[in-house]
Amino acid sequence: MNFQFATAFAAASALAFTAAGPAAAQAPFADVGKQAEISILINSSPWFGGFEKAVDLYEKQTGNKVKLDVTPYGGMLEKARNAVRAANSPYDILNLDALWTIEFYEGSFLKPFAEIDQNFALPAEVLTFEDSNYWNAQRRWRTRDGGQLMGYSPNGNIHVLYYRDDLLKQAGLQPPKTWDDVGAICQKLKNPPGMYGFVTRGEKGNPIRYDWTPFLQGAGGSIVKAPQDGDYTVTINSPQAKQALDKFIELQKNCAPPNVGVIGQGDVIQLLATGRAAQGLAVIAAWPTFDDRQKSAVVGKINTAVVPGFPGRNPGVAIGNWVFTVPKNVSAERQRAAVAFSRWFLTAGAQRAYAEAGGIPVRSDTFASDLAAKPEFRWMKAYLDSQQFARQELGYAEGAQVEAVLGLRLNQALIGEMSSGRALNTAAREIEEIFQRSGRRTGKLDALPE
Amino acid sequence: MKDDFLNRTFRHWSMWPCLAFLLVLSVYPVLQLIPMALSTIQITAEGTFWTYSPRRNLDLLLGDAVLRDAVVNTLVFVVLSVAIEMVLGFFAALFIACMPRGRNFARTVMILPILLPAVAIGSMWKLMFNYDFGLFNQMVGLIGLNPINWLGDTRWALLSIVIVDVWHWTPFVFLILFASIETLPQDVLEAGRVDGATAWQMISLIILPLLGPALAVAALFRAIVAFKAFDQVYLLTSGGPGTSTELLSLHLNRVFFEQNQLGYGAMLSLSIIGVIVATLAVGKWSATQIERKRTGR
């Protein structure tokens, strides 16, 4: 991924420098001609407003029609499953959480883009988020190496650290680079219940698993040894993972509200937007809220930084992207229309318009353009800097079961029902059983002291 | 004679559409669960592939540590919430039925919580339970106590969702009992008053026995709905912290839909249905025995 990212980034940067900002801004939109009406299943996330405006622009420019079925996150998976399992899908583009894509790729429910339009190729500037949009059926792994292009991301969610720029400046503090810095800033600025030092999600399930992952990756830990090579030895009970969990718990206990065990994404965004948290770890999709005068008490006061790390190590940045895919069970005409929309959406002009409307673009040259210098896009640098560290987790068929195990055991460690060692040992045992049942080559590390 | 025959024939045949609906919508899906429960199922674009593996699903069921917590939590939740709702619903119905004026207004206000969608209730109560600025902790602060971590503390979380359920569903019990109280035979009540019965004697010896069938219906309906509680708990705690509010419905949703384990999900569903049917059968048998002893028949 690093190499692919570096290549894309270099190409984008070269383009940005030679074309000099404003010229890049005038990059043309794709001419896709007259196409059939398409329907998109999309989630009602904070970035949806930007996407909706981009779609409006597409309709105005091309005269083609796009129908959006906007659904809460909780209902997306079932709608997508029902769509691909039916005789004819009601949707021509399905937006899938990257975690769900394995089920759809392995089930052969989706049409590879090359089979719809052999001339379609992702622009080199488009971020692929560790190839989550490619599928190699032989290796059962998401990789462009021998894999087919199954889609692209309309949103590349990754974590960034949000912090109160004004408060840090007043206190003469620098933005944090390590988790120890986060703890030190928290100690200086916290004044509960009016001001908490640091917030992130601790809610059972996906929330805590996802928000703990940057700690795990940053400490050099992993869930499984080398799944890309078929080695499913469970490594979640390593000393590195314990260091990550202990630090996560320490920060939560010392800096977050007392109800850490049930804090969800809405709570994190609310605490930051109401000016009651000095720092917070959240996905980039949360950004549009903080500069929205209707929703935020801290307009212009929040800034972003790359997720902090452990001393001497690279930061860990967990990818939680979405993937736009085309189901097999729609007519060829509508599949072509879906790809035509995709061709338009991924052009530099559309991505710029998408960003200006509050979306999170996925082209590296949009981030390297003149937009990044504008105050309202001050998040772009941290986002782009983070990409080189961004990693996918749970890219295997058992991902949802592994997440359920981790989501519970981490939560129990956070609320004090288990020690961190016991929680990780328990999780390792349960995850190993999952891989044994599915016939993977597996094993686990020696137990940690409990 | 001819009319009797027609009536009997009509009664006989008019049952069939109802029975057909029952078979198609209830019995058939349950029967379908049986082969699912014995298999591992993989759904692909090429078709659905079933692998016969009953032992695997049974092992999963027996080794499911979260399931044990979910069973205990569900039983505690059902017993506690239904018991409180029955007591509050009964006294609310009695109180409002005795109001000389404004009964219609009071009844309308009472039933408002039933009309609200679960999503609105979840959001509203999440705010009220908020540790920092929630209504409850403001009230607790007024009487000089420390704030309570309603949803984030394993000791309080289940009680918190019971409180929400009681608020939501007590009006349902109230509605059934209020309608029954309104139709109580006035001569029996009058006779009780003339005989000098105290208020407590009126309630325990006359009203409660007369309301027996209505109380049983309310309790049964509430127990069934409480057993299936999902949306509010999902919105308030997602079954956490830890497993403190994990109910069977949430666990089943996780296994079936989030983890896509269709075979194990079916095994879990069948086991739950089996336990419910067995409980109902034992309950029915016990009730029959008690009735026989009481009547001597």
Side-chain angles (χ1 to χ4, degrees), chain A residues 2-55:
Chain A
N2 280 345
F3 174 74
Q4 287 147 7
F5 173 78
T7 312
F9 185 68
S13 303
L15 184 71
F17 281 116
T18 52
Q26 293 162 17
F29 293 88
D31 178 7
V32 298
K34 190 69 195 155
Q35 299 289 340
E37 178 178 326
I38 59 168
S39 173
I40 302 178
L41 174 65
I42 190 152
N43 43 306
S44 52
S45 296
W47 55 276
F48 171 72
F51 181 75
E52 190 179 30
K53 286 177 186 160
V55 168

Side-chain angles (χ1 to χ4, degrees), chain B residues 12-30:
Chain B
H12 178 74
W13 286 104
S14 63
M15 291 287 291
W16 280 100
C18 206
L19 200 61
F21 267 118
L22 188 72
L23 285 170
V24 171
L25 299 178
S26 299
V27 180
Y28 178 71
V30 172

Side-chain angles (χ1 to χ4, degrees), chain A residues 274-294:
Chain A
T274 53
R276 296 178 60 245
Q279 305 168 93
L281 181 70
V283 287
I284 195 65
W287 173 264
T289 302
F290 302 129
D291 267 4
D292 182 341
R293 292 192 183 281
Q294 303 292 322

